[in-house]
Amino acid sequence: MYPTPTSYYLPDLLSLSQPFRGSTNPHYKKAAAESRAWVNSYNVFTDRKRAFFIQGCNELLVSHTYPHAGYEEFRTICDFVNLLFVIDEVSDDQNGTDARKTGEVYLKAMRYRGWTDRSPLAEMTGEFRERLARTSGPRSFRRFLKHSEDYIECVAREAEYRERGEILDVESFQHLRRENSAIRLCFGLFEYSLGIDLPDEVFENPTFERLYWAAADMVCWANDVYSYNMEQAKGHTGNNIVTVLMKARDCDLQTASDLIGAHYAELMEHYLADRERLPSFGPQIDADVRLYVRAMENWPIGNLQWSFETNRYFGPLHDEVRRTRLVMLTPRRHDSDTDSD
């Protein structure tokens, strides 16, 4: 047994991400205010969760990760990321059966235009679907629906694992995390934001597929090591690569954090190599693929920058944590300290 840790150092992921150029969206201020008001109009949060929602600045994350998007597309993506926050916050407090029911509401509203059970989640999803379907290409919209199904399935499975106190092995967890993180849904909005509609053959290409997963995994692994303190304070550590590595490698918290840094470096190395190996799909498709690849690169660096610009993971000390990379662990919150939806 290792002694109970009181702190840990983050890996230096910002330095490892230097090959990517960060940016922000010029429509952020106006669209963020509108999207936040849109979510609040549904009154889905308790006071505590509303405060958590506000301090998370989801719209700022969208600004960093979709800097290229036009106003209409940017506003729609802000709404979607806020919608994901609603699903995540609701399902975090549910067992597997109830999380699956919550997910089914989202899926029905996405699959069937105009469907609603009059719940806030159904109404919000329906509004998002209308705006997405207006200009989204048929292939990217079909893929988005499939990713939605996989996302909801894995969110429900995550709730079931949490209910049983089960911690997965590294490989099984990675497959789960790729889906329940919603990163595939977020990547699925690149084509909508860029006005392109790539053929399936691009996503089925082995080199492109490796490139895609390297970018997605960079986001997932970084997010887990950054969010670990917040999650352990809530008692939700099972769905985190930090916990998975500590169990699988029989190591302490700091070693797990270091392992994540080493893996992130490998992912970046493989990404850069595969980016140079991408085959040609024809002149027009190649141009669209280049746009998609550039959009993918906004996510790893944008996610890191956003994490240090808000209170979501590191509270008011986020600037100091960015400078020192030292995270002091927050005492676990007891049920009596929380309220429920």
Side-chain angles (χ1 to χ4, degrees):
M1 289 288 294
Y2 296 96
T4 301
T6 58
S7 65
Y8 71 108
Y9 284 94
L10 300 170
D12 191 1
L13 303 184
L14 280 169
S15 293
L16 293 173
S17 300
Q18 286 183 350
F20 297 156
R21 302 189 311 274
S23 187
T24 55
N25 193 293
H27 305 297
Y28 165 64
K29 189 173 181 180
K30 182 174 185 290
E34 291 181 357
S35 185
R36 192 168 303 167
W38 175 73
V39 175
N40 284 329
S41 71
Y42 283 97
N43 199 30
V44 293
F45 299 129
T46 60
D47 289 343
R48 178 177 60 81
K49 288 197 172 183
R50 183 177 293 106
F52 186 53
F53 166 68
I54 292 171
Q55 78 173 15
C57 297
N58 296 334
E59 305 88 1
L60 182 59
L61 173 63
V62 179
S63 180
H64 277 296
T65 52
Y66 302 86
H68 56 272
Y71 175 79
E72 178 66 25
E73 292 77 18
F74 181 74
R75 165 62 203 280
T76 300
I77 297 170
C78 282
D79 287 356
F80 178 68
V81 173
N82 282 331
L83 175 61
L84 286 177
F85 182 90
V86 172
I87 297 171
D88 188 55
E89 285 301 298
V90 171
S91 64
D92 263 359
D93 294 330
Q94 293 179 320
N95 59 31
T97 300
D98 290 341
R100 202 172 291 277
K101 289 178 182 177
T102 296
E104 279 300 317
V105 172
Y106 164 77
L107 285 179
K108 286 179 180 178
M110 279 301 303
R111 286 176 182 141
Y112 311 117
R113 182 181 182 184
W115 181 90
T116 183
D117 62 358
R118 302 194 181 282
S119 67
L121 178 56
E123 297 290 328
M124 293 171 73
T125 304
E127 285 191 44
F128 162 72
R129 185 197 188 281
E130 281 299 303
R131 291 201 294 276
L132 178 66
R134 196 175 300 148
T135 58
S136 185
R139 290 174 295 206
S140 61
F141 189 77
R142 174 177 46 78
R143 285 190 292 263
F144 189 86
L145 290 179
K146 178 61 171 66
H147 295 332
S148 290
E149 293 169 3
D150 294 339
Y151 164 68
I152 292 301
E153 170 61 27
C154 287
V155 166
R157 281 166 49 197
E158 174 196 342
E160 292 165 356
Y161 294 138
R162 183 171 62 244
E163 206 176 351
R164 298 195 297 264
E166 183 176 349
I167 299 173
L168 300 177
D169 61 74
V170 175
E171 184 176 358
S172 298
F173 176 78
Q174 178 164 277
H175 289 305
L176 178 78
R177 195 74 181 109
R178 285 172 169 179
E179 301 296 349
N180 74 359
S181 67
I183 191 62
R184 300 200 77 189
L185 288 169
C186 293
F187 279 20
L189 292 173
F190 290 148
E191 292 163 278
Y192 164 73
S193 68
L194 292 164
I196 62 177
D197 193 29
L198 293 173
D200 290 341
E201 67 174 297
V202 173
F203 294 91
E204 293 165 359
N205 177 269
T207 305
F208 183 89
E209 189 175 24
R210 288 196 305 271
L211 192 74
Y212 177 100
W213 285 124
D217 287 345
M218 277 189 263
V219 176
C220 292
W221 286 59
N223 184 263
D224 277 10
V225 74
Y226 279 18
S227 67
Y228 178 79
N229 181 40
M230 179 190 75
E231 292 177 5
Q232 66 84 28
K234 295 193 295 184
H236 291 173
T237 56
N239 183 52
N240 192 298
I241 190 60
V242 176
T243 302
V244 170
L245 286 172
M246 285 194 288
K247 179 184 178 185
R249 304 291 180 87
D250 188 23
C251 66
D252 63 8
L253 174 57
Q254 187 57 58
T255 300
S257 179
D258 295 341
L259 287 169
I260 289 169
H263 185 63
Y264 192 98
E266 292 176 0
L267 290 170
M268 179 64 76
E269 181 182 352
H270 295 156
Y271 179 94
L272 296 174
D274 280 324
R275 189 176 64 179
E276 298 304 312
R277 299 189 187 111
L278 276 175
S280 174
F281 301 94
Q284 182 54 57
I285 296 177
D286 287 351
D288 291 347
V289 168
R290 284 193 294 272
L291 290 174
Y292 191 100
V293 169
R294 177 67 187 92
M296 274 200 302
E297 294 174 4
N298 289 317
W299 252 100
I301 185 63
N303 179 58
L304 299 179
Q305 292 172 333
W306 164 76
S307 297
F308 289 118
E309 291 175 4
T310 77
N311 290 347
R312 179 169 174 83
Y313 297 141
F314 308 120
L317 299 178
H318 52 82
D319 288 331
E320 182 179 343
V321 173
R322 177 171 184 159
R323 179 177 59 84
T324 65
R325 292 188 283 116
L326 176 63
V327 178
M328 303 301 297
L329 292 179
T330 306
R332 180 170 175 177
R333 190 171 63 225
H334 298 290
D335 290 343
S336 58
D337 300 327
T338 67
D339 54 14
S340 59
D341 288 333

